[in-house]
mmCIF file of all heavy atoms in Angstrom:
data_model
loop_
_atom_site.group_PDB
_atom_site.id
_atom_site.type_symbol
_atom_site.label_atom_id
_atom_site.label_comp_id
_atom_site.label_asym_id
_atom_site.label_seq_id
_atom_site.Cartn_x
_atom_site.Cartn_y
_atom_site.Cartn_z
ATOM 1 N N GLU L 200 0.850 -1.191 0.010
ATOM 2 C CA GLU L 200 -0.005 0.000 0.002
ATOM 3 C C GLU L 200 0.858 1.261 0.004
ATOM 4 O O GLU L 200 0.530 2.238 -0.652
ATOM 5 C CB GLU L 200 -0.919 -0.018 1.182
ATOM 6 C CG GLU L 200 -2.024 -1.075 1.106
ATOM 7 C CD GLU L 200 -2.863 -1.195 2.351
ATOM 8 O OE1 GLU L 200 -2.476 -0.597 3.383
ATOM 9 O OE2 GLU L 200 -3.936 -1.865 2.302
ATOM 10 N N THR L 201 1.978 1.218 0.740
ATOM 11 C CA THR L 201 2.895 2.371 0.754
ATOM 12 C C THR L 201 3.530 2.565 -0.603
ATOM 13 O O THR L 201 3.656 3.700 -1.081
ATOM 14 C CB THR L 201 3.973 2.138 1.842
ATOM 15 O OG1 THR L 201 3.360 1.953 3.116
ATOM 16 C CG2 THR L 201 4.917 3.322 1.883
ATOM 17 N N ILE L 202 3.942 1.456 -1.217
ATOM 18 C CA ILE L 202 4.579 1.549 -2.544
ATOM 19 C C ILE L 202 3.548 2.073 -3.574
ATOM 20 O O ILE L 202 3.923 2.913 -4.424
ATOM 21 C CB ILE L 202 5.104 0.159 -2.978
ATOM 22 C CG1 ILE L 202 6.272 -0.260 -2.095
ATOM 23 C CG2 ILE L 202 5.556 0.175 -4.433
ATOM 24 C CD1 ILE L 202 6.733 -1.701 -2.326
ATOM 25 N N LYS L 203 2.322 1.590 -3.492
ATOM 26 C CA LYS L 203 1.303 2.063 -4.432
ATOM 27 C C LYS L 203 1.109 3.573 -4.317
ATOM 28 O O LYS L 203 0.856 4.275 -5.302
ATOM 29 C CB LYS L 203 -0.011 1.335 -4.197
ATOM 30 C CG LYS L 203 -1.092 1.688 -5.166
ATOM 31 C CD LYS L 203 -2.373 0.919 -4.869
ATOM 32 C CE LYS L 203 -3.464 1.344 -5.840
ATOM 33 N NZ LYS L 203 -4.740 0.646 -5.552
ATOM 34 N N LYS L 204 1.207 4.104 -3.090
ATOM 35 C CA LYS L 204 0.999 5.509 -2.853
ATOM 36 C C LYS L 204 2.218 6.338 -3.263
ATOM 37 O O LYS L 204 2.109 7.364 -3.960
ATOM 38 C CB LYS L 204 0.685 5.736 -1.370
ATOM 39 C CG LYS L 204 0.519 7.201 -0.994
ATOM 40 C CD LYS L 204 0.309 7.343 0.507
ATOM 41 C CE LYS L 204 0.264 8.820 0.924
ATOM 42 N NZ LYS L 204 0.099 8.990 2.379
ATOM 43 N N ASP L 205 3.436 5.887 -2.868
ATOM 44 C CA ASP L 205 4.635 6.689 -3.077
ATOM 45 C C ASP L 205 5.394 6.367 -4.357
ATOM 46 O O ASP L 205 6.129 7.173 -4.886
ATOM 47 C CB ASP L 205 5.577 6.540 -1.892
ATOM 48 C CG ASP L 205 4.955 7.060 -0.555
ATOM 49 O OD1 ASP L 205 4.040 7.869 -0.666
ATOM 50 O OD2 ASP L 205 5.401 6.602 0.514
ATOM 51 N N PHE L 206 5.212 5.119 -4.877
ATOM 52 C CA PHE L 206 5.895 4.689 -6.091
ATOM 53 C C PHE L 206 4.867 3.999 -7.029
ATOM 54 O O PHE L 206 4.951 2.788 -7.250
ATOM 55 C CB PHE L 206 7.039 3.739 -5.734
ATOM 56 C CG PHE L 206 8.021 4.255 -4.765
ATOM 57 C CD1 PHE L 206 7.860 3.992 -3.399
ATOM 58 C CD2 PHE L 206 9.122 5.037 -5.164
ATOM 59 C CE1 PHE L 206 8.781 4.500 -2.465
ATOM 60 C CE2 PHE L 206 10.037 5.522 -4.251
ATOM 61 C CZ PHE L 206 9.851 5.251 -2.892
ATOM 62 N N PRO L 207 3.867 4.715 -7.478
ATOM 63 C CA PRO L 207 2.749 4.085 -8.208
ATOM 64 C C PRO L 207 3.167 3.383 -9.490
ATOM 65 O O PRO L 207 2.408 2.550 -9.997
ATOM 66 C CB PRO L 207 1.826 5.277 -8.504
ATOM 67 C CG PRO L 207 2.699 6.474 -8.443
ATOM 68 C CD PRO L 207 3.735 6.210 -7.401
ATOM 69 N N HIS L 208 4.335 3.697 -10.003
ATOM 70 C CA HIS L 208 4.780 3.075 -11.266
ATOM 71 C C HIS L 208 5.443 1.711 -11.045
ATOM 72 O O HIS L 208 5.742 0.993 -12.034
ATOM 73 C CB HIS L 208 5.799 3.976 -11.962
ATOM 74 C CG HIS L 208 7.032 4.211 -11.152
ATOM 75 N ND1 HIS L 208 7.050 5.068 -10.050
ATOM 76 C CD2 HIS L 208 8.301 3.702 -11.255
ATOM 77 C CE1 HIS L 208 8.246 5.078 -9.554
ATOM 78 N NE2 HIS L 208 9.055 4.270 -10.241
ATOM 79 N N VAL L 209 5.658 1.305 -9.801
ATOM 80 C CA VAL L 209 6.362 0.051 -9.489
ATOM 81 C C VAL L 209 5.336 -1.042 -9.176
ATOM 82 O O VAL L 209 4.595 -0.996 -8.206
ATOM 83 C CB VAL L 209 7.281 0.231 -8.277
ATOM 84 C CG1 VAL L 209 7.979 -1.088 -7.959
ATOM 85 C CG2 VAL L 209 8.333 1.298 -8.544
ATOM 86 N N PRO L 210 5.224 -2.095 -10.049
ATOM 87 C CA PRO L 210 4.296 -3.170 -9.802
ATOM 88 C C PRO L 210 4.742 -4.067 -8.659
ATOM 89 O O PRO L 210 5.975 -4.133 -8.386
ATOM 90 C CB PRO L 210 4.279 -3.943 -11.145
ATOM 91 C CG PRO L 210 5.599 -3.616 -11.778
ATOM 92 C CD PRO L 210 5.930 -2.241 -11.372
ATOM 93 N N ILE L 211 3.806 -4.735 -8.022
ATOM 94 C CA ILE L 211 4.105 -5.514 -6.819
ATOM 95 C C ILE L 211 3.550 -6.932 -6.965
ATOM 96 O O ILE L 211 2.413 -7.129 -7.336
ATOM 97 C CB ILE L 211 3.456 -4.830 -5.573
ATOM 98 C CG1 ILE L 211 3.910 -3.387 -5.469
ATOM 99 C CG2 ILE L 211 3.767 -5.614 -4.293
ATOM 100 C CD1 ILE L 211 2.913 -2.498 -4.776
ATOM 101 N N LEU L 212 4.401 -7.908 -6.616
ATOM 102 C CA LEU L 212 3.977 -9.292 -6.528
ATOM 103 C C LEU L 212 4.205 -9.760 -5.081
ATOM 104 O O LEU L 212 5.296 -9.620 -4.546
ATOM 105 C CB LEU L 212 4.813 -10.163 -7.477
ATOM 106 C CG LEU L 212 4.636 -11.692 -7.352
ATOM 107 C CD1 LEU L 212 3.220 -12.086 -7.718
ATOM 108 C CD2 LEU L 212 5.648 -12.439 -8.237
ATOM 109 N N LEU L 213 3.148 -10.284 -4.464
ATOM 110 C CA LEU L 213 3.241 -10.728 -3.073
ATOM 111 C C LEU L 213 3.307 -12.269 -2.999
ATOM 112 O O LEU L 213 2.891 -12.925 -3.947
ATOM 113 C CB LEU L 213 2.031 -10.269 -2.282
ATOM 114 C CG LEU L 213 1.827 -8.751 -2.129
ATOM 115 C CD1 LEU L 213 0.536 -8.433 -1.427
ATOM 116 C CD2 LEU L 213 3.015 -8.122 -1.360
ATOM 117 N N THR L 214 3.836 -12.775 -1.938
ATOM 118 C CA THR L 214 3.940 -14.225 -1.740
ATOM 119 C C THR L 214 3.714 -14.548 -0.282
ATOM 120 O O THR L 214 3.944 -13.708 0.625
ATOM 121 C CB THR L 214 5.301 -14.765 -2.201
ATOM 122 O OG1 THR L 214 5.315 -16.191 -2.055
ATOM 123 C CG2 THR L 214 6.454 -14.204 -1.324
ATOM 124 N N THR L 215 3.236 -15.748 -0.036
ATOM 125 C CA THR L 215 2.969 -16.148 1.354
ATOM 126 C C THR L 215 2.824 -17.655 1.429
ATOM 127 O O THR L 215 2.404 -18.315 0.490
ATOM 128 C CB THR L 215 1.701 -15.468 1.947
ATOM 129 O OG1 THR L 215 1.577 -15.805 3.308
ATOM 130 C CG2 THR L 215 0.450 -15.951 1.217
ATOM 131 N N GLY L 216 3.187 -18.209 2.585
ATOM 132 C CA GLY L 216 2.924 -19.608 2.843
ATOM 133 C C GLY L 216 1.591 -19.778 3.539
ATOM 134 O O GLY L 216 0.892 -20.780 3.389
ATOM 135 N N TYR L 217 1.212 -18.777 4.345
ATOM 136 C CA TYR L 217 -0.092 -18.776 5.024
ATOM 137 C C TYR L 217 -0.410 -17.373 5.406
ATOM 138 O O TYR L 217 0.423 -16.664 5.989
ATOM 139 C CB TYR L 217 -0.106 -19.606 6.293
ATOM 140 C CG TYR L 217 -1.383 -19.430 7.091
ATOM 141 C CD1 TYR L 217 -2.578 -20.002 6.675
ATOM 142 C CD2 TYR L 217 -1.379 -18.591 8.183
ATOM 143 C CE1 TYR L 217 -3.740 -19.801 7.361
ATOM 144 C CE2 TYR L 217 -2.565 -18.376 8.919
ATOM 145 C CZ TYR L 217 -3.734 -18.987 8.492
ATOM 146 O OH TYR L 217 -4.899 -18.748 9.173
ATOM 147 N N TYR L 218 -1.605 -16.933 5.008
ATOM 148 C CA TYR L 218 -2.046 -15.595 5.435
ATOM 149 C C TYR L 218 -3.551 -15.603 5.391
ATOM 150 O O TYR L 218 -4.151 -16.047 4.427
ATOM 151 C CB TYR L 218 -1.491 -14.505 4.517
ATOM 152 C CG TYR L 218 -1.924 -13.108 4.960
ATOM 153 C CD1 TYR L 218 -1.380 -12.545 6.078
ATOM 154 C CD2 TYR L 218 -2.883 -12.402 4.212
ATOM 155 C CE1 TYR L 218 -1.765 -11.266 6.479
ATOM 156 C CE2 TYR L 218 -3.262 -11.133 4.615
ATOM 157 C CZ TYR L 218 -2.701 -10.593 5.747
ATOM 158 O OH TYR L 218 -3.089 -9.335 6.133
ATOM 159 N N GLN L 219 -4.175 -15.139 6.471
ATOM 160 C CA GLN L 219 -5.644 -15.062 6.488
ATOM 161 C C GLN L 219 -6.095 -13.905 5.615
ATOM 162 O O GLN L 219 -5.699 -12.764 5.830
ATOM 163 C CB GLN L 219 -6.125 -14.839 7.955
ATOM 164 C CG GLN L 219 -7.652 -14.907 8.046
ATOM 165 C CD GLN L 219 -8.087 -14.843 9.503
ATOM 166 O OE1 GLN L 219 -7.257 -14.744 10.397
ATOM 167 N NE2 GLN L 219 -9.393 -14.907 9.708
ATOM 168 N N VAL L 220 -6.898 -14.243 4.629
ATOM 169 C CA VAL L 220 -7.345 -13.218 3.666
ATOM 170 C C VAL L 220 -8.183 -12.148 4.397
ATOM 171 O O VAL L 220 -9.117 -12.495 5.121
ATOM 172 C CB VAL L 220 -8.193 -13.847 2.537
ATOM 173 C CG1 VAL L 220 -8.666 -12.785 1.562
ATOM 174 C CG2 VAL L 220 -7.362 -14.891 1.818
ATOM 175 N N PRO L 221 -7.865 -10.859 4.197
ATOM 176 C CA PRO L 221 -8.617 -9.826 4.865
ATOM 177 C C PRO L 221 -9.997 -9.664 4.249
ATOM 178 O O PRO L 221 -10.317 -10.176 3.218
ATOM 179 C CB PRO L 221 -7.750 -8.575 4.632
ATOM 180 C CG PRO L 221 -7.048 -8.873 3.332
ATOM 181 C CD PRO L 221 -6.788 -10.337 3.366
ATOM 182 N N ALA L 222 -10.847 -8.918 4.970
ATOM 183 C CA ALA L 222 -12.221 -8.707 4.489
ATOM 184 C C ALA L 222 -12.219 -7.957 3.165
ATOM 185 O O ALA L 222 -13.022 -8.239 2.287
ATOM 186 C CB ALA L 222 -13.028 -7.891 5.530
ATOM 187 N N ARG L 223 -11.288 -6.997 3.013
ATOM 188 C CA ARG L 223 -11.187 -6.295 1.752
ATOM 189 C C ARG L 223 -10.323 -7.072 0.791
ATOM 190 O O ARG L 223 -9.206 -7.481 1.100
ATOM 191 C CB ARG L 223 -10.549 -4.901 1.981
ATOM 192 C CG ARG L 223 -10.523 -4.065 0.726
ATOM 193 C CD ARG L 223 -9.878 -2.717 0.994
ATOM 194 N NE ARG L 223 -8.484 -2.868 1.335
ATOM 195 C CZ ARG L 223 -7.663 -1.824 1.593
ATOM 196 N NH1 ARG L 223 -8.152 -0.607 1.586
ATOM 197 N NH2 ARG L 223 -6.425 -2.015 1.904
ATOM 198 N N PRO L 224 -10.801 -7.336 -0.437
ATOM 199 C CA PRO L 224 -10.025 -8.128 -1.374
ATOM 200 C C PRO L 224 -8.666 -7.473 -1.703
ATOM 201 O O PRO L 224 -8.576 -6.236 -1.797
ATOM 202 C CB PRO L 224 -10.906 -8.152 -2.632
ATOM 203 C CG PRO L 224 -12.306 -7.849 -2.135
ATOM 204 C CD PRO L 224 -12.099 -6.927 -0.957
ATOM 205 N N LEU L 225 -7.610 -8.309 -1.818
ATOM 206 C CA LEU L 225 -6.307 -7.769 -2.166
ATOM 207 C C LEU L 225 -6.293 -7.313 -3.598
ATOM 208 O O LEU L 225 -6.895 -7.873 -4.478
ATOM 209 C CB LEU L 225 -5.249 -8.884 -1.956
ATOM 210 C CG LEU L 225 -5.000 -9.327 -0.528
ATOM 211 C CD1 LEU L 225 -3.968 -10.424 -0.503
ATOM 212 C CD2 LEU L 225 -4.555 -8.186 0.339
ATOM 213 N N GLU L 226 -5.535 -6.204 -3.840
ATOM 214 C CA GLU L 226 -5.442 -5.663 -5.189
ATOM 215 C C GLU L 226 -4.275 -6.254 -5.928
ATOM 216 O O GLU L 226 -4.059 -5.940 -7.122
ATOM 217 C CB GLU L 226 -5.320 -4.138 -5.149
ATOM 218 C CG GLU L 226 -6.543 -3.452 -4.507
ATOM 219 C CD GLU L 226 -6.359 -1.921 -4.464
ATOM 220 O OE1 GLU L 226 -5.322 -1.450 -4.984
ATOM 221 O OE2 GLU L 226 -7.248 -1.259 -3.948
ATOM 222 N N HIS L 227 -3.468 -7.049 -5.279
ATOM 223 C CA HIS L 227 -2.245 -7.563 -5.879
ATOM 224 C C HIS L 227 -2.287 -9.080 -6.012
ATOM 225 O O HIS L 227 -2.955 -9.773 -5.245
ATOM 226 C CB HIS L 227 -1.028 -7.159 -4.999
ATOM 227 C CG HIS L 227 -0.975 -5.707 -4.675
ATOM 228 N ND1 HIS L 227 -0.599 -4.749 -5.549
ATOM 229 C CD2 HIS L 227 -1.312 -5.086 -3.493
ATOM 230 C CE1 HIS L 227 -0.677 -3.551 -4.944
ATOM 231 N NE2 HIS L 227 -1.096 -3.721 -3.728
ATOM 232 N N VAL L 228 -1.548 -9.572 -7.025
ATOM 233 C CA VAL L 228 -1.479 -11.033 -7.199
ATOM 234 C C VAL L 228 -0.658 -11.634 -6.055
ATOM 235 O O VAL L 228 0.319 -11.035 -5.616
ATOM 236 C CB VAL L 228 -0.761 -11.354 -8.580
ATOM 237 C CG1 VAL L 228 -0.503 -12.843 -8.684
ATOM 238 C CG2 VAL L 228 -1.618 -10.847 -9.707
ATOM 239 N N VAL L 229 -1.081 -12.760 -5.562
ATOM 240 C CA VAL L 229 -0.397 -13.413 -4.445
ATOM 241 C C VAL L 229 0.099 -14.816 -4.911
ATOM 242 O O VAL L 229 -0.733 -15.646 -5.328
ATOM 243 C CB VAL L 229 -1.297 -13.600 -3.220
ATOM 244 C CG1 VAL L 229 -0.539 -14.334 -2.104
ATOM 245 C CG2 VAL L 229 -1.742 -12.222 -2.717
ATOM 246 N N LEU L 230 1.406 -14.996 -4.892
ATOM 247 C CA LEU L 230 2.004 -16.295 -5.273
ATOM 248 C C LEU L 230 2.117 -17.141 -3.963
ATOM 249 O O LEU L 230 2.761 -16.743 -3.017
ATOM 250 C CB LEU L 230 3.383 -16.052 -5.879
ATOM 251 C CG LEU L 230 4.194 -17.283 -6.260
ATOM 252 C CD1 LEU L 230 3.507 -18.061 -7.372
ATOM 253 C CD2 LEU L 230 5.610 -16.898 -6.647
ATOM 254 N N GLN L 231 1.480 -18.311 -3.990
ATOM 255 C CA GLN L 231 1.484 -19.150 -2.835
ATOM 256 C C GLN L 231 2.818 -19.929 -2.728
ATOM 257 O O GLN L 231 3.357 -20.409 -3.706
ATOM 258 C CB GLN L 231 0.344 -20.169 -2.901
ATOM 259 C CG GLN L 231 -1.052 -19.540 -2.817
ATOM 260 C CD GLN L 231 -1.332 -18.900 -1.469
ATOM 261 O OE1 GLN L 231 -0.817 -19.343 -0.450
ATOM 262 N NE2 GLN L 231 -2.095 -17.848 -1.445
ATOM 263 N N LYS L 232 3.309 -20.000 -1.482
ATOM 264 C CA LYS L 232 4.461 -20.870 -1.211
ATOM 265 C C LYS L 232 3.960 -22.270 -0.876
ATOM 266 O O LYS L 232 2.872 -22.423 -0.319
ATOM 267 C CB LYS L 232 5.241 -20.316 0.004
ATOM 268 C CG LYS L 232 5.909 -18.991 -0.188
ATOM 269 C CD LYS L 232 6.618 -18.552 1.077
ATOM 270 C CE LYS L 232 7.314 -17.227 0.935
ATOM 271 N NZ LYS L 232 7.962 -16.793 2.176
ATOM 272 N N PRO L 233 4.719 -23.309 -1.198
ATOM 273 C CA PRO L 233 5.996 -23.230 -1.895
ATOM 274 C C PRO L 233 5.835 -23.010 -3.383
ATOM 275 O O PRO L 233 4.871 -23.501 -4.003
ATOM 276 C CB PRO L 233 6.594 -24.642 -1.640
ATOM 277 C CG PRO L 233 5.384 -25.507 -1.503
ATOM 278 C CD PRO L 233 4.335 -24.672 -0.824
ATOM 279 N N TYR L 234 6.719 -22.233 -3.979
ATOM 280 C CA TYR L 234 6.702 -21.964 -5.430
ATOM 281 C C TYR L 234 8.005 -22.506 -6.019
ATOM 282 O O TYR L 234 9.034 -22.603 -5.319
ATOM 283 C CB TYR L 234 6.524 -20.501 -5.713
ATOM 284 C CG TYR L 234 7.535 -19.580 -5.060
ATOM 285 C CD1 TYR L 234 8.825 -19.449 -5.556
ATOM 286 C CD2 TYR L 234 7.225 -18.880 -3.899
ATOM 287 C CE1 TYR L 234 9.779 -18.641 -4.959
ATOM 288 C CE2 TYR L 234 8.157 -18.027 -3.281
ATOM 289 C CZ TYR L 234 9.428 -17.911 -3.825
ATOM 290 O OH TYR L 234 10.342 -17.092 -3.216
ATOM 291 N N ASP L 235 7.952 -22.841 -7.307
ATOM 292 C CA ASP L 235 9.151 -23.253 -7.994
ATOM 293 C C ASP L 235 9.607 -22.162 -8.967
ATOM 294 O O ASP L 235 9.008 -21.089 -9.034
ATOM 295 C CB ASP L 235 8.970 -24.584 -8.700
ATOM 296 C CG ASP L 235 7.838 -24.522 -9.743
ATOM 297 O OD1 ASP L 235 7.374 -23.406 -10.107
ATOM 298 O OD2 ASP L 235 7.377 -25.592 -10.200
ATOM 299 N N GLU L 236 10.625 -22.431 -9.734
ATOM 300 C CA GLU L 236 11.186 -21.451 -10.639
ATOM 301 C C GLU L 236 10.148 -21.022 -11.667
ATOM 302 O O GLU L 236 9.973 -19.812 -11.913
ATOM 303 C CB GLU L 236 12.398 -22.073 -11.362
ATOM 304 C CG GLU L 236 13.065 -21.096 -12.334
ATOM 305 C CD GLU L 236 14.279 -21.738 -12.998
ATOM 306 O OE1 GLU L 236 14.346 -22.980 -13.009
ATOM 307 O OE2 GLU L 236 15.127 -20.998 -13.520
ATOM 308 N N THR L 237 9.415 -21.963 -12.221
ATOM 309 C CA THR L 237 8.444 -21.638 -13.254
ATOM 310 C C THR L 237 7.345 -20.762 -12.696
ATOM 311 O O THR L 237 6.944 -19.776 -13.295
ATOM 312 C CB THR L 237 7.822 -22.934 -13.839
ATOM 313 O OG1 THR L 237 8.875 -23.718 -14.392
ATOM 314 C CG2 THR L 237 6.799 -22.620 -14.919
ATOM 315 N N ALA L 238 6.827 -21.116 -11.518
ATOM 316 C CA ALA L 238 5.728 -20.336 -10.918
ATOM 317 C C ALA L 238 6.166 -18.918 -10.627
ATOM 318 O O ALA L 238 5.411 -17.950 -10.886
ATOM 319 C CB ALA L 238 5.264 -21.032 -9.637
ATOM 320 N N LEU L 239 7.367 -18.722 -10.086
ATOM 321 C CA LEU L 239 7.836 -17.383 -9.750
ATOM 322 C C LEU L 239 8.035 -16.548 -11.001
ATOM 323 O O LEU L 239 7.559 -15.387 -11.093
ATOM 324 C CB LEU L 239 9.151 -17.443 -8.969
ATOM 325 C CG LEU L 239 9.872 -16.092 -8.716
ATOM 326 C CD1 LEU L 239 8.930 -15.106 -8.054
ATOM 327 C CD2 LEU L 239 11.119 -16.310 -7.885
ATOM 328 N N LEU L 240 8.701 -17.089 -12.048
ATOM 329 C CA LEU L 240 8.977 -16.331 -13.251
ATOM 330 C C LEU L 240 7.661 -16.012 -14.011
ATOM 331 O O LEU L 240 7.489 -14.920 -14.531
ATOM 332 C CB LEU L 240 9.924 -17.090 -14.161
ATOM 333 C CG LEU L 240 11.330 -17.268 -13.591
ATOM 334 C CD1 LEU L 240 12.216 -18.051 -14.572
ATOM 335 C CD2 LEU L 240 11.999 -15.935 -13.280
ATOM 336 N N THR L 241 6.720 -16.954 -14.009
ATOM 337 C CA THR L 241 5.441 -16.720 -14.685
ATOM 338 C C THR L 241 4.685 -15.633 -13.954
ATOM 339 O O THR L 241 4.104 -14.734 -14.594
ATOM 340 C CB THR L 241 4.618 -18.009 -14.721
ATOM 341 O OG1 THR L 241 5.361 -19.013 -15.412
ATOM 342 C CG2 THR L 241 3.297 -17.777 -15.443
ATOM 343 N N ALA L 242 4.614 -15.703 -12.627
ATOM 344 C CA ALA L 242 3.874 -14.721 -11.876
ATOM 345 C C ALA L 242 4.505 -13.354 -12.022
ATOM 346 O O ALA L 242 3.785 -12.343 -12.173
ATOM 347 C CB ALA L 242 3.873 -15.112 -10.381
#
């Protein structure tokens, strides 16, 4: 959210092994762990 506000031109890819989804839908793609080389590069 800070990057979107201060650096709006920089795209963001998030990753997590476990995270409880918040009530508000996330605006960013989330790559689930564990990920492999193909999944990371594709995402």
Side-chain angles (χ1 to χ4, degrees):
E200 291 175 348
T201 302
I202 293 172
K203 183 180 178 181
K204 177 183 175 182
D205 297 338
F206 306 92
H208 62 285
V209 178
I211 304 152
L212 172 64
L213 297 174
T214 184
T215 186
Y217 170 77
Y218 182 71
Q219 186 173 0
V220 179
R223 184 180 66 179
L225 293 178
E226 298 180 2
H227 310 283
V228 174
V229 178
L230 177 65
Q231 294 293 330
K232 294 179 180 178
Y234 55 78
D235 58 14
E236 180 180 20
T237 300
L239 172 54
L240 295 179
T241 301

